[in-house]
Amino acid sequence: MDLTEPKLAEAPPATGHPKQLYMLFFAEMWERFSFYGMKALLLAYMVTQLKFDEPKGYAILGSYAALVYTMPLFGGMMADRFLGYRKAVMFGGILMSIGHLVLAVPEDWSFFYGMAFIICGNGFFKPNISSLVGTLYPENDPRRDSGFSIFYMGINIGAALGGLLCGYVGQQINWHYGFGLAGIFMILGLVVFAIGKKSLKEGLPPNPAALRKPFFAGVPTEFGIYAAALLVIPAIVALFNRYEIMDFIMFGLGAVSLVYILYIALKLEAEARNKLFAALIMIVFSTLFWAFYEQNAGSLNLFAMRNVDMHVAGFELPALAVNNFLPPAWVIALSFPFAWLWPALNRRGKEPSTPLKFGLSFVFLGIGFSVFYAACLLGAESGLISLPAFILGYFFIICGELCLSPIGLSMVTKLSPANIVAMMMGIWFFASAIGEFLAGKIGALMSVPENVVDNPVLSLPYYADIISKIGMYSIGIGVVLIVLVPLIRRLMSDVR
Ligand code: PHE
């Protein structure tokens, strides 16, 4: 008998959650603190400090964010086949910590290297820590969904604090201190995990012998995987230096995955095939959602610095901190009413179906951008929009996020055949990667010429025009999706 087994994991309290959930909650909270803290600074740092022209800044930001969410496809696969979740999270966390520390080095070379370490590290960390949450509950445990909601809360508390503190320190005090602060909290997250991981029951390598097997010249497979990941880092740096190639990579990978899933679908029997088609339609739409939504970490950072009136009671609030605090703060605030709303509607038989929620998410997003646009019209004379309007716009945008992001995850698990659920999760993140890449392209349309950047009256129209179009297209796409609801529901058969 193994006496070291943690007691709580064997007999979880009937109403509470396994204590390991809180360890994963804090590890992920600090990791997201550093991830979003650094992302808050990225574009503004490139444009105002490294003096990249704006289209290049947007292209690099889009490429960074796209690669960050492409790597989980590989990190997830490596964990499933060889490393197990725990080793993968540790390795990813170490790479991310190194990346953040490199970014804090005040030299030009450090920038692309720091981002490349974070990209690789995130590929091992992010998907696998989420999978670990899943291992805490037996298959049909009713606490599973609420466990994930608590975990999503940790993500957003970290993101809100990171955006606020790193945004403030980076913009107001010193950019490299901002990056360094992010690094310190990443290390804290890693320490929480390193100490807490012993209490986990699952997540060990699926086949330890395979890990020890020599992979090349007597080097065990485990170290082969780490070495391969390290080799990817200079390749990513090279890509940043030739970012035009990213178009081929992202659209190429996108086309290949689409064709591959269609191929899998065609081999299934009718009902399973239709369900997978339904999932695919919603995944493709989600790409567009993220392309619009992610203006937050891109164009809206520069917009907040230049064209939002940040004065409150004689104080000037730091624009980057405000812009990056607002979305996760709204997620935290709105999670509670949404957690109440869906079951309440359900009891009356009026809960919207998943495709309808997706349609509504675009409508909300479009309303949010329309609020920004209306504020631009009102602020044309001063070149500044009011802070309350900026806050209100984000309220609607986040209502959109809550109709799509958490719902998408469970949609993927319900509509995919059991043997490809993990891969479809990777594809769900990959769809957001393509969205992030498109977001960079849309952001570049809002590039403001050098001689205008310090004059809000002249810079405002550059944003207002595209913001109004995002609002219109988003509402239009929402309407198309709502029209498609009966068709998608038929494909979904018994799944709601
Ligand atoms: N913001 C959430 C997170 O960081 C959800 C999300 C994941 C959004 C991936 C876009 C892409 O986990």
Side-chain angles (χ1 to χ4, degrees), residues 76-93:
M77 240 156 56
M78 286 300 128
D80 277 340
R81 298 230 181 120
F82 298 105
L83 295 175
Y85 303 134
R86 288 192 214 178
K87 276 180 189 286
V89 169
M90 277 304 292
F91 178 61

Side-chain angles (χ1 to χ4, degrees), residues 264-454:
I264 293 183
L266 291 177
K267 291 197 302 188
L268 296 168
E269 40 92 24
E271 191 181 315
R273 181 179 61 221
N274 287 343
K275 284 183 184 170
L276 195 56
F277 278 153
L280 207 54
I281 295 173
M282 286 187 270
I283 289 174
V284 169
F285 273 99
S286 78
T287 304
L288 297 172
F289 182 87
W290 296 119
F292 296 152
Y293 175 95
E294 278 298 334
Q295 294 311 311
N296 163 242
S299 58
L300 292 175
N301 271 321
L302 301 183
F303 178 69
M305 284 164 69
R306 293 167 181 162
N307 293 101
V308 180
D309 185 358
M310 289 287 170
H311 288 91
V312 176
F315 266 114
E316 189 180 357
L317 301 179
L320 291 183
V322 171
N323 180 53
N324 292 282
F325 171 74
L326 281 175
W330 272 130
V331 172
I332 297 165
L334 289 171
S335 294
F336 299 102
F338 270 88
W340 167 84
L341 181 71
W342 299 139
L345 287 174
N346 189 297
R347 278 191 295 275
R348 296 191 183 82
K350 291 210 171 100
E351 185 181 357
S353 64
T354 301
L356 183 54
K357 285 179 185 166
F358 267 54
L360 291 174
S361 76
F362 279 93
V363 173
F364 277 126
L365 187 76
I367 294 175
F369 276 93
S370 303
V371 169
F372 289 160
Y373 179 59
C376 289
L377 294 180
L378 291 173
E381 221 166 282
S382 61
L384 296 175
I385 79 160
S386 79
L387 185 56
F390 195 54
I391 297 173
L392 181 67
Y394 270 127
F395 165 85
F396 287 107
I397 292 174
I398 299 308
C399 287
E401 172 178 351
L402 289 173
C403 288
L404 180 131
S405 183
I407 283 132
L409 287 174
S410 70
M411 177 276 288
V412 167
T413 58
K414 282 187 281 192
L415 290 175
S416 314
N419 59 332
I420 59 164
V421 170
M423 185 189 81
M424 291 301 289
M425 273 296 179
I427 297 279
W428 170 257
F429 279 115
F430 180 60
S432 69
I434 297 188
E436 300 262 3
F437 190 62
L438 294 174
K441 305 237 170 239
I442 296 172
L445 300 175
M446 284 177 259
S447 297
V448 174
E450 191 68 64
N451 57 338
V452 164
V453 292
D454 295 323

Side-chain angles (χ1 to χ4, degrees), residues 30-312:
W30 294 127
E31 182 269 329
R32 289 285 106 179
F33 176 105
S34 72
F35 181 82
Y36 283 108
M38 170 268 190
K39 205 174 173 192
L41 300 175
L42 211 50
L43 180 67
Y45 175 72
M46 284 190 276
V47 170
T48 67
Q49 305 303 301
L50 299 179
K51 304 286 178 206
F52 289 2
D53 59 36
E54 289 192 19
K56 178 175 173 181
Y58 283 113
I60 302 274
L61 174 72
S63 304
Y64 163 77
L67 291 170
V68 153
Y69 288 120
T70 301
M71 289 304 277
L73 272 178
F74 303 105
M77 240 156 56
M78 286 300 128
D80 277 340
R81 298 230 181 120
F82 298 105
L83 295 175
Y85 303 134
R86 288 192 214 178
K87 276 180 189 286
V89 169
M90 277 304 292
F91 178 61
I94 291 170
L95 290 188
M96 290 183 86
S97 303
I98 296 174
H100 283 288
L101 295 181
V102 169
L103 273 184
V105 176
E107 302 276 348
D108 285 356
W109 64 263
S110 67
F111 188 61
F112 285 169
Y113 272 94
M115 289 201 294
F117 269 101
I118 295 174
I119 288 167
C120 252
N122 184 73
F124 285 89
F125 192 101
K126 178 79 170 154
N128 297 317
I129 194 158
S130 320
S131 303
L132 276 172
V133 175
T135 66
L136 299 178
Y137 305 94
E139 192 76 43
N140 281 319
D141 193 322
R143 295 169 307 163
R144 175 185 285 263
D145 274 1
S146 73
F148 271 102
S149 308
I150 294 172
F151 186 70
Y152 204 70
M153 199 58 101
I155 288 176
N156 284 288
I157 294 173
L161 292 175
L164 196 63
L165 292 178
C166 298
Y168 172 74
V169 172
Q171 190 187 359
Q172 305 307 110
I173 303 175
N174 177 309
W175 295 90
H176 293 282
Y177 291 175
F179 289 130
L181 189 64
I184 293 172
F185 283 94
M186 180 66 231
I187 294 171
L188 182 61
L190 186 60
V191 169
V192 169
F193 186 80
I195 296 174
K197 72 180 195 312
K198 289 177 223 79
S199 69
L200 294 166
K201 294 192 82 181
E202 312 266 345
L204 292 171
N207 178 1
L211 263 189
R212 283 191 297 269
K213 220 171 84 190
F215 141 87
F216 176 72
V219 178
T221 301
E222 179 174 2
F223 293 101
I225 294 172
Y226 299 151
L230 289 175
L231 283 177
V232 172
I233 288 168
I236 293 175
V237 173
L239 251 184
F240 279 134
N241 284 313
R242 295 282 312 276
Y243 56 84
E244 322 82 61
I245 314 176
M246 279 295 292
D247 282 12
F248 297 103
I249 297 184
M250 292 313 293
F251 296 128
L253 269 179
V256 170
S257 6
L258 199 62
V259 171
Y260 182 63
I261 297 170
L262 286 176
Y263 166 76
I264 293 183
L266 291 177
K267 291 197 302 188
L268 296 168
E269 40 92 24
E271 191 181 315
R273 181 179 61 221
N274 287 343
K275 284 183 184 170
L276 195 56
F277 278 153
L280 207 54
I281 295 173
M282 286 187 270
I283 289 174
V284 169
F285 273 99
S286 78
T287 304
L288 297 172
F289 182 87
W290 296 119
F292 296 152
Y293 175 95
E294 278 298 334
Q295 294 311 311
N296 163 242
S299 58
L300 292 175
N301 271 321
L302 301 183
F303 178 69
M305 284 164 69
R306 293 167 181 162
N307 293 101
V308 180
D309 185 358
M310 289 287 170
H311 288 91
V312 176

